[in-house]
Protein backbone atom coordinates (compact mmCIF):
# COMPACT_ATOMS: atom_id res chain seq x y z
CA UNK A 1 0.00 0.00 0.00
CA UNK A 2 1.13 3.56 -0.79
CA UNK A 3 0.40 6.07 1.98
CA UNK A 4 0.09 9.81 1.35
CA UNK A 5 0.76 12.12 4.32
CA UNK A 6 -1.16 15.41 3.87
CA UNK A 7 -0.75 18.25 6.35
CA UNK A 8 -3.90 20.05 5.22
CA UNK A 9 -7.16 19.12 3.55
CA UNK A 10 -6.09 21.08 0.44
CA UNK A 11 -3.11 18.79 -0.17
CA UNK A 12 -5.28 15.78 0.69
CA UNK A 13 -7.71 16.74 -2.08
CA UNK A 14 -4.83 17.16 -4.54
CA UNK A 15 -3.38 13.74 -3.72
CA UNK A 16 -6.85 12.20 -3.84
CA UNK A 17 -6.93 12.91 -7.57
CA UNK A 18 -3.98 10.54 -8.00
CA UNK A 19 -5.80 7.58 -6.45
CA UNK A 20 -7.58 6.40 -9.64
CA UNK A 21 -4.28 6.47 -11.55
CA UNK A 22 -2.51 4.50 -8.85
CA UNK A 23 -5.30 1.94 -8.60
CA UNK A 24 -5.18 1.46 -12.37
CA UNK A 25 -1.44 0.79 -12.04
CA UNK A 26 -2.06 -1.89 -9.42
CA UNK A 27 -1.31 0.11 -6.25
CA UNK A 28 -3.51 0.52 -3.20
CA UNK A 29 -3.31 4.22 -2.17
CA UNK A 30 -4.44 5.48 1.23
CA UNK A 31 -3.95 8.46 3.49
CA UNK A 32 -1.77 8.44 6.58
CA UNK A 33 -3.05 11.21 8.86
CA UNK A 34 -0.87 12.83 11.52
CA UNK A 35 -3.46 15.48 12.46
CA UNK A 36 -7.24 15.61 12.53
CA UNK A 37 -8.28 18.97 11.09
CA UNK A 38 -11.33 17.87 9.16
CA UNK A 39 -9.50 15.23 7.14
CA UNK A 40 -10.87 12.14 8.89
CA UNK A 41 -14.45 13.32 8.38
CA UNK A 42 -13.71 14.07 4.72
CA UNK A 43 -12.21 10.63 4.16
CA UNK A 44 -15.12 8.89 5.90
CA UNK A 45 -17.63 10.89 3.90
CA UNK A 46 -16.10 9.74 0.60
CA UNK A 47 -15.09 6.25 1.81
CA UNK A 48 -11.42 7.02 1.18
CA UNK A 49 -9.01 4.60 2.89
CA UNK A 50 -7.00 6.20 5.68
CA UNK A 51 -5.02 5.34 8.81
CA UNK A 52 -5.48 7.52 11.89
CA UNK A 53 -3.38 5.62 14.42
CA UNK A 54 -0.63 8.30 14.35
CA UNK A 55 -2.86 11.25 15.25
CA UNK A 56 -1.60 12.72 18.52
CA UNK A 57 -4.19 13.75 21.09
CA UNK A 58 -2.91 15.50 24.21
CA UNK A 59 -4.93 14.53 27.28
CA UNK A 60 -3.53 16.77 30.04
CA UNK A 61 -1.78 19.79 28.51
CA UNK A 62 1.31 20.35 30.69
CA UNK A 63 3.70 22.68 28.81
CA UNK A 64 6.63 20.80 27.25
CA UNK A 65 6.12 17.68 29.38
CA UNK A 66 2.92 16.67 27.60
CA UNK A 67 4.46 17.17 24.17
CA UNK A 68 7.62 15.24 24.99
CA UNK A 69 5.51 12.34 26.28
CA UNK A 70 3.24 12.59 23.24
CA UNK A 71 6.28 12.48 20.97
CA UNK A 72 7.48 9.29 22.66
CA UNK A 73 4.02 7.75 22.20
CA UNK A 74 4.06 8.92 18.59
CA UNK A 75 7.44 7.27 17.98
CA UNK A 76 6.11 3.95 19.28
CA UNK A 77 2.98 4.29 17.12
CA UNK A 78 5.13 5.05 14.04
CA UNK A 79 7.21 1.92 14.60
CA UNK A 80 4.10 -0.22 15.01
CA UNK A 81 2.61 1.22 11.82
CA UNK A 82 5.81 0.68 9.82
CA UNK A 83 5.92 -2.95 10.95
CA UNK A 84 3.06 -3.43 8.48
CA UNK A 85 5.64 -2.80 5.71
CA UNK A 86 3.90 -0.22 3.46
CA UNK A 87 5.26 -0.01 -0.08
CA UNK A 88 5.93 3.73 0.09
CA UNK A 89 5.37 6.88 2.14
CA UNK A 90 4.57 10.05 0.16
CA UNK A 91 4.79 13.38 2.01
CA UNK A 92 4.49 17.05 1.17
CA UNK A 93 7.71 18.90 0.37
CA UNK A 94 7.30 21.02 3.51
CA UNK A 95 8.20 18.81 6.47
CA UNK A 96 7.50 19.20 10.19
CA UNK A 97 9.16 17.19 12.97
CA UNK A 98 6.54 14.41 13.18
CA UNK A 99 6.84 13.88 9.43
CA UNK A 100 10.65 13.86 9.60
CA UNK A 101 10.54 11.24 12.35
CA UNK A 102 8.23 9.13 10.19
CA UNK A 103 10.67 9.41 7.26
CA UNK A 104 13.64 8.62 9.51
CA UNK A 105 12.03 5.43 10.83
CA UNK A 106 10.85 4.43 7.33
CA UNK A 107 14.37 4.79 5.94
CA UNK A 108 15.76 2.64 8.73
CA UNK A 109 13.40 -0.11 7.53
CA UNK A 110 14.29 0.42 3.84
CA UNK A 111 10.75 1.61 3.06
CA UNK A 112 10.56 3.90 0.03
CA UNK A 113 9.99 7.57 0.86
CA UNK A 114 8.97 10.32 -1.56
CA UNK A 115 7.84 13.94 -1.44
CA UNK A 116 5.41 15.36 -3.96
CA UNK A 117 4.92 19.04 -4.69
CA UNK A 118 1.25 19.97 -4.76
CA UNK A 119 1.35 23.79 -4.61
CA UNK A 120 3.60 26.67 -5.60
CA UNK A 121 6.69 26.96 -3.44
CA UNK A 122 8.66 30.12 -2.66
CA UNK A 123 12.07 30.72 -1.16
CA UNK A 124 12.66 31.89 2.41
CA UNK A 125 13.79 35.29 1.09
CA UNK A 126 10.58 35.75 -0.89
CA UNK A 127 8.47 34.82 2.12
CA UNK A 128 10.30 37.37 4.30
CA UNK A 129 9.34 40.18 1.92
CA UNK A 130 5.67 39.84 2.92
CA UNK A 131 4.69 42.96 4.81
CA UNK A 132 3.89 42.74 8.52
CA UNK A 133 0.32 43.91 7.91
CA UNK A 134 -0.30 41.20 5.33
CA UNK A 135 1.24 38.59 7.62
CA UNK A 136 -1.02 39.65 10.49
CA UNK A 137 -4.07 39.44 8.23
CA UNK A 138 -3.03 35.96 7.12
CA UNK A 139 -2.51 34.77 10.69
CA UNK A 140 -5.80 36.32 11.82
CA UNK A 141 -7.63 34.57 8.97
CA UNK A 142 -6.06 31.23 9.85
CA UNK A 143 -6.31 31.41 13.63
CA UNK A 144 -8.86 34.19 14.24
CA UNK A 145 -6.59 35.57 17.00
CA UNK A 146 -3.23 37.03 16.00
CA UNK A 147 -1.90 37.20 19.57
CA UNK A 148 -2.70 33.56 20.19
CA UNK A 149 -1.13 32.62 16.86
CA UNK A 150 2.14 34.36 17.72
CA UNK A 151 2.15 32.75 21.17
CA UNK A 152 1.60 29.33 19.60
CA UNK A 153 4.46 29.85 17.14
CA UNK A 154 6.76 31.01 19.96
CA UNK A 155 5.84 27.96 22.04
CA UNK A 156 6.57 25.61 19.13
CA UNK A 157 9.98 27.26 18.63
CA UNK A 158 10.74 26.84 22.35
CA UNK A 159 9.55 23.23 22.22
CA UNK A 160 11.92 22.44 19.34
CA UNK A 161 14.76 23.98 21.36
CA UNK A 162 13.88 21.78 24.35
CA UNK A 163 13.82 18.71 22.08
CA UNK A 164 17.24 19.63 20.67
CA UNK A 165 18.63 19.83 24.21
CA UNK A 166 17.15 16.40 24.97
CA UNK A 167 18.78 15.04 21.81
CA UNK A 168 22.12 16.47 22.93
CA UNK A 169 21.72 14.97 26.41
CA UNK A 170 20.86 11.57 24.91
CA UNK A 171 23.89 11.73 22.63
CA UNK A 172 21.95 11.09 19.43
CA UNK A 173 18.81 11.68 17.41
CA UNK A 174 15.58 11.08 19.21
CA UNK A 175 13.30 14.07 18.69
CA UNK A 176 14.63 16.48 16.05
CA UNK A 177 15.74 15.50 12.53
CA UNK A 178 16.53 18.73 10.66
CA UNK A 179 18.39 17.17 7.73
CA UNK A 180 16.12 14.17 7.09
CA UNK A 181 14.48 14.24 3.65
CA UNK A 182 12.60 11.64 1.59
CA UNK A 183 14.63 9.69 -0.95
CA UNK A 184 13.09 11.49 -3.93
CA UNK A 185 10.96 14.52 -4.66
CA UNK A 186 8.54 15.15 -7.53
CA UNK A 187 8.31 18.78 -8.65
CA UNK A 188 6.13 20.73 -11.10
CA UNK A 189 8.81 21.80 -13.60
CA UNK A 190 12.49 22.68 -14.05
CA UNK A 191 11.87 26.27 -12.95
CA UNK A 192 11.79 25.23 -9.28
CA UNK A 193 14.71 22.77 -9.36
CA UNK A 194 17.25 25.36 -8.16
CA UNK A 195 14.97 26.31 -5.27
CA UNK A 196 14.74 22.72 -4.07
CA UNK A 197 18.49 22.25 -4.46
CA UNK A 198 19.08 25.31 -2.28
CA UNK A 199 16.95 23.70 0.43
CA UNK A 200 19.00 20.52 0.64
CA UNK A 201 17.60 18.26 -2.08
CA UNK A 202 20.20 16.54 -4.26
CA UNK A 203 19.73 17.17 -7.98
CA UNK A 204 19.79 13.45 -8.82
CA UNK A 205 16.84 12.91 -6.47
CA UNK A 206 14.67 15.66 -7.98
CA UNK A 207 12.25 14.54 -10.70
CA UNK A 208 9.87 16.64 -12.79
CA UNK A 209 6.44 15.01 -12.62
CA UNK A 210 4.19 17.89 -13.67
CA UNK A 211 1.17 19.55 -12.13
CA UNK A 212 -2.27 17.94 -12.11
CA UNK A 213 -4.01 21.32 -12.29
CA UNK A 214 -2.01 22.39 -15.34
CA UNK A 215 -2.45 19.02 -17.04
CA UNK A 216 -6.22 19.11 -16.55
CA UNK A 217 -6.41 22.72 -17.73
CA UNK A 218 -4.61 21.88 -20.98
CA UNK A 219 -6.76 18.77 -21.41
CA UNK A 220 -9.95 20.84 -21.10
CA UNK A 221 -8.52 23.40 -23.48
CA UNK A 222 -7.86 20.66 -26.01
CA UNK A 223 -11.42 19.38 -25.63
CA UNK A 224 -12.80 22.86 -26.27
CA UNK A 225 -10.60 23.24 -29.34
CA UNK A 226 -11.83 19.88 -30.71
CA UNK A 227 -15.42 20.88 -30.09
CA UNK A 228 -14.90 24.15 -31.92
Amino acid sequence: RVYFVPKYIASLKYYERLFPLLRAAGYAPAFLLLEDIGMTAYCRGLSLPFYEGLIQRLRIPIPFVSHVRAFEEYRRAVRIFLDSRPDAIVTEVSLNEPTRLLIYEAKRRMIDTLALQWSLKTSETERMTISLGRMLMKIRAQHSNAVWAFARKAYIAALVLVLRVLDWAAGGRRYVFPDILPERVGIFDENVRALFESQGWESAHIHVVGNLDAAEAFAHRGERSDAA
Side-chain angles (χ1 to χ4, degrees):
R1 188 179 283 274
V2 177
Y3 284 94
F4 288 80
V5 188
K7 292 167 59 179
Y8 310 102
I9 197 165
S11 55
L12 182 149
K13 290 180 178 180
Y14 182 88
Y15 295 145
E16 176 193 353
R17 292 153 63 190
L18 294 171
F19 279 27
L21 299 174
L22 290 169
R23 292 190 184 107
Y27 293 98
F31 288 114
L32 176 59
L33 304 181
L34 307 188
E35 293 186 77
D36 186 5
I37 45 178
M39 293 186 287
T40 56
Y42 180 84
C43 289
R44 287 194 180 98
L46 295 179
S47 299
L48 296 171
F50 69 98
Y51 182 85
E52 59 180 326
L54 301 187
I55 295 177
Q56 301 176 67
R57 296 181 173 89
L58 294 178
R59 293 178 290 275
I60 303 176
I62 303 174
F64 300 113
V65 175
S66 294
H67 283 96
V68 172
R69 288 178 177 173
F71 210 75
E72 289 290 349
E73 293 176 1
Y74 172 71
R75 182 197 313 280
R76 289 192 290 270
V78 164
R79 290 173 174 173
I80 291 172
F81 166 75
L82 293 176
D83 285 343
S84 66
R85 304 298 306 177
D87 296 302
I89 304 292
V90 184
T91 72
E92 298 187 24
V93 295
S94 177
L95 307 172
N96 55 22
E97 291 307 323
T99 307
R100 290 183 188 275
L101 173 59
L102 172 65
I103 294 169
Y104 174 76
E105 293 290 347
K107 283 187 169 184
R108 289 180 60 194
R109 291 163 174 76
M110 305 299 290
I111 295 171
D112 198 12
T113 56
L114 307 88
L116 184 61
Q117 182 183 8
W118 69 274
S119 64
L120 295 178
K121 186 175 176 64
T122 57
S123 66
E124 293 295 333
T125 303
E126 289 172 319
R127 283 198 290 268
M128 290 175 64
T129 61
I130 299 176
S131 67
L132 179 60
R134 182 178 174 186
M135 182 177 66
L136 285 170
M137 290 176 63
K138 181 178 179 181
I139 292 174
R140 186 178 297 277
Q142 290 179 341
H143 304 282
S144 74
N145 187 313
V147 175
W148 165 248
F150 276 120
R152 181 176 183 272
K153 290 179 183 295
Y155 173 77
I156 291 175
L159 176 61
V160 171
L161 179 60
V162 169
L163 296 178
R164 286 181 181 273
V165 172
L166 292 176
D167 274 350
W168 173 80
R173 293 182 173 185
R174 189 169 182 83
Y175 299 104
V176 183
F177 306 87
D179 57 344
I180 292 295
L181 294 172
E183 288 294 332
R184 303 186 304 285
V185 58
I187 62 176
F188 285 167
D189 54 45
E190 288 290 347
N191 294 326
V192 295
R193 179 182 290 274
L195 174 59
F196 278 86
E197 290 176 350
S198 71
Q199 296 177 350
W201 299 89
E202 296 183 15
S203 181
H205 297 168
I206 300 174
H207 305 276
V208 175
V209 298
N211 180 348
L212 280 177
D213 295 315
E216 290 180 359
F218 279 110
H220 292 322
R221 182 179 179 182
E223 291 173 2
R224 288 195 297 268
S225 298
D226 292 342

